Amino acid sequence: MSTRPPVHVSEAEMAVQRDSMCRIAEMPHRPQTYHVVTYGCQMNAHDSEKLAGMLEQMGLTAAPDREEADFVIFNTCCVRDNAERRALGNVTWLKEIRKVRPEMMIAVCGCMIQEPGMAERILKQYPFVDLAFGTANLHRFPSLFERVLTDRQRVVSIDGDDVIAEDVPVRRLRGDAAYLTIMYGCDNFCSYCIVPYVRGRERSRRMADILREAEALRDTGVKEIMLLGQNVNSYRGEDGEGFPQLLRAVDALGIERIRFMTSHPKDLSDDLIAAMAECEHVLPQFHLPVQAGNDDILRRMNRRYTRAEYLDKVRRLREAVPGIGLTTDIIVGFPGETEAQFADTLSLVDEVGYDSAFTFIYSPRTGTAAAKMPDQIPAEVSTERIQRLIALQEKRQREQMTRFVGQEEKVLVEGLSRRSDRQVSGKGGHGISVTFPGNEKDIGQIVPVRITGLKNNTLSAERKES
Ligand code: SAH
Ligand code: SF4
Ligand code: F3S
């Protein structure tokens, strides 16, 4: 890992961006409304909140539908082929709408733009795209957009160093729960994964900046924050502070609920497990992507832990935080995966008993080590395997969820239930969806409930009189 301190974008550069936002706000013929379409992970969701923040400073207001907006931004993901295809498909679809509304402007940004050759492809194949910029240039969006508006020319910008930009305006989607980035990039280079190539090298924000942001969120009444990083365990503050230390410091601020995402099993430390147990506000939940249950596959994935080491960490987490909600990510059909190796993944899933699992069919990504490996698995084999995996996980999930029946939980209500407007649903402290009687007034509130049973993949509950 590099020991160079991360480069922060200078105050002068941020002032340039602020000036651009002011000038755009004064332009008489600029777009009046915007719509951001987001693909991918929480990082991208939070980047979209920054785009919205900048756009509002430029005087634009949010349009609920993309067809109605004067300016549409696609914030793309490329982690799997289908994510990429969906994004490009939707961009093309908008081309038709632009025939009816020629003044509409379109931008494409995010991880996909950082892929080698993608910017040129966008220029050639998508002539109706006005602006394309990568993740490294997010903070420069105002000056790039100003260039499009003043020069009436297409702008593509993908170069940029791995920097940290503080004080980018943010327009958060929710007032009760907020994302807070603690680090950017990834240095792990799992052999299947494109993220290190499109998000750059690992760099951590200063602890003081993170705490300042967390305090500000607390003071606006945010009840839950999610600390974000591709591998939060790699967090290194400027004085060498590690993630457990940061977690304890955030916990001390008195925000009601704290979560984090994602944690790599190889460097999940005893100190982090201790911090989880100690910290009053850190929720009893853990997302610990395993990817596969076979040691040979794990080694070729460059995950740098064995099945036994993983299982040992799960055991220690459960000892320290009894009843902890445990979730994971799994890839099936990694190159060369045999039936016996896949059976090891099934047996691991059976053994752990996850509360939920995100399962993916391996998707070759150009430029990654695994894309060049022999014995790529045919789609029909992977499809059949993932079906078996999902069936097993659903069964284990139902079994695991019964441990909550009769227990009390505090639920942060996200909205009305999809099935009935006299029911609300949200997440309990263990990260599992809970539905119970309620109405609009509960949205954004933390409500104490008693779990009464399970329905499909959610828990049902009754309100606890407090
Ligand atoms: N940094 C996080 C998240 C990475 S992306 C982590 O390490 O867990 C989220 C998930 O996408 C990964 O955990 C992995 O399961 C999946 N994924 C990444 N690359 C993939 C690929 N090429 N094909 C299929 N799934 C992939
Ligand atoms: Fe990708 Fe691995 Fe980094 Fe996660 S830890 S983002 S899977 S390279
Ligand atoms: Fe996708 Fe980029 Fe996240 S590739 S998963 S949006 S880091």
Side-chain angles (χ1 to χ4, degrees):
M1 206 175 79
S2 157
T3 48
R4 260 186 317 129
V7 181
H8 284 76
V9 176
S10 68
E11 180 44 40
E13 167 70 26
M14 293 311 286
V16 168
Q17 301 306 324
R18 281 196 297 275
D19 290 347
S20 270
M21 289 192 276
C22 290
R23 282 193 297 271
I24 293 173
E26 315 256 281
M27 287 181 187
H29 303 299
R30 63 163 163 79
Q32 298 296 319
T33 59
Y34 72 89
H35 187 91
V36 185
V37 186
T38 310
Y39 302 89
C41 63
Q42 288 90 351
M43 300 278 176
N44 255 23
H46 189 39
D47 282 352
S48 288
E49 293 183 328
K50 291 182 183 166
L51 288 166
M54 291 186 266
L55 285 159
E56 303 222 338
Q57 299 239 322
M58 299 172 200
L60 282 77
T61 53
D65 297 309
R66 60 182 97 160
E67 294 88 340
E68 306 287 314
D70 298 335
F71 182 36
V72 182
I73 306 188
F74 288 89
N75 190 8
T76 61
C77 168
C78 57
V79 77
R80 286 169 294 274
D81 183 50
N82 55 4
E84 194 167 305
R85 276 206 311 254
R86 242 194 0 254
L88 287 176
N90 276 312
V91 176
T92 313
W93 175 73
L94 216 55
K95 178 179 148 189
E96 297 305 311
I97 292 161
R98 210 163 94 148
K99 283 185 188 151
V100 191
R101 296 193 50 218
E103 76 288 357
M104 177 189 259
M105 297 182 76
I106 300 173
V108 185
C109 67
C111 293
M112 197 179 80
I113 302 298
Q114 298 288 158
E115 280 187 89
M118 186 52 85
E120 292 81 18
R121 191 175 144 198
I122 299 263
L123 269 183
K124 252 216 216 108
Q125 294 181 4
Y126 302 86
F128 46 89
V129 169
D130 301 288
L131 168 64
F133 59 100
T135 53
N137 282 315
L138 186 81
H139 64 281
R140 290 205 196 103
F141 164 59
S143 56
L144 297 170
F145 189 37
E146 187 182 12
R147 250 166 65 201
V148 179
L149 291 171
T150 48
D151 302 353
R152 286 281 149 197
Q153 246 182 24
R154 305 171 73 198
V155 171
V156 174
S157 179
I158 49 164
D159 331 307
D161 300 321
D162 295 335
V163 291
I164 294 180
E166 291 295 342
D167 300 318
V168 175
V170 183
R171 162 104 165 70
R172 287 190 157 86
L173 282 177
R174 285 173 65 176
D176 57 338
Y179 293 128
L180 200 171
T181 307
I182 64 165
M183 58 161 315
Y184 300 89
C186 181
D187 285 352
N188 284 315
F189 290 94
C190 299
S191 63
Y192 50 82
C193 185
I194 199 165
V195 171
Y197 302 90
V198 295
R199 285 272 172 180
R201 298 289 57 75
E202 269 171 13
R203 52 220 187 264
S204 298
R205 289 178 70 193
R206 290 182 285 246
M207 193 147 134
D209 291 334
I210 296 170
L211 295 177
R212 190 165 45 93
E213 188 174 349
E215 275 171 335
L217 288 168
R218 177 198 61 195
D219 296 344
T220 60
V222 163
K223 298 191 172 76
E224 179 181 291
I225 60 169
M226 181 185 261
L227 305 175
L228 286 183
Q230 289 297 351
N231 176 13
V232 292
N233 296 326
S234 297
Y235 177 80
R236 274 284 160 266
E238 59 176 349
D239 295 322
E241 304 96 334
F243 182 60
Q245 198 176 338
L246 173 67
L247 200 57
R248 290 182 176 105
V250 176
D251 188 60
L253 300 177
I255 297 156
E256 233 166 307
R257 298 168 40 131
I258 300 160
R259 312 161 65 192
F260 55 88
M261 185 93 104
T262 298
S263 197
H264 194 302
K266 78 172 158 53
D267 36 30
L268 160 55
S269 66
D270 285 343
D271 193 25
L272 177 54
I273 296 177
M276 290 284 299
E278 264 164 51
C279 290
E280 187 189 339
H281 302 287
V282 175
L283 294 180
Q285 52 176 269
F286 215 99
H287 184 61
L288 196 61
V290 68
Q291 313 298 357
N294 173 272
D295 282 344
D296 180 52
I297 299 282
L298 286 171
R299 187 181 49 75
R300 291 194 299 112
M301 283 179 162
N302 194 28
R303 290 291 287 180
R304 288 173 277 176
Y305 54 82
T306 63
R307 175 190 175 106
E309 283 162 358
Y310 181 90
L311 289 172
D312 188 51
K313 293 200 175 169
V314 166
R315 185 184 53 75
R316 280 189 276 164
L317 264 174
R318 282 181 163 157
E319 261 169 33
V321 188
I324 192 167
L326 206 63
T327 56
T328 201
D329 292 348
I330 299 170
I331 298 177
V332 305
F334 185 77
E337 183 188 70
T338 63
E339 179 55 34
Q341 288 171 332
F342 172 63
D344 286 343
T345 295
L346 290 178
S347 76
L348 180 132
V349 166
D350 203 23
E351 189 171 337
V352 173
Y354 291 106
D355 291 295
S356 134
F358 299 93
T359 52
F360 308 106
I361 290 179
Y362 166 74
S363 167
R365 306 281 69 207
T366 310
T368 62
K372 294 181 221 88
M373 288 181 187
D375 303 322
Q376 300 280 326
I377 305 295
E380 58 277 17
V381 174
S382 299
T383 306
E384 192 270 337
R385 283 183 188 163
I386 203 169
Q387 281 163 357
R388 274 191 281 156
L389 176 63
I390 291 168
L392 171 66
Q393 171 53 27
E394 282 179 351
K395 171 176 158 281
R396 291 297 284 122
Q397 193 160 327
R398 279 191 300 275
E399 290 164 1
Q400 282 300 109
M401 274 164 57
T402 56
R403 77 183 185 283
F404 294 109
V405 177
Q407 304 266 316
E408 289 171 10
E409 277 271 7
K410 282 185 175 164
V411 179
L412 176 56
V413 179
E414 284 165 34
L416 293 176
S417 151
R418 254 177 273 158
R419 291 202 176 79
S420 153
D421 58 8
R422 284 155 66 191
Q423 300 262 323
V424 289
S425 69
K427 296 255 166 55
H430 294 82
I432 297 157
S433 294
V434 183
T435 303
F436 59 95
N439 57 39
E440 268 116 354
K441 284 196 213 113
D442 296 315
I443 297 172
Q445 303 299 318
I446 294 177
V447 181
V449 301
R450 183 171 289 104
I451 309 293
T452 50
L454 30 147
K455 225 186 244 162
N456 306 314
N457 277 337
T458 61
L459 296 166
S460 8
E462 59 189 17
R463 300 173 83 102
K464 211 182 112 209
E465 296 317 320
S466 48

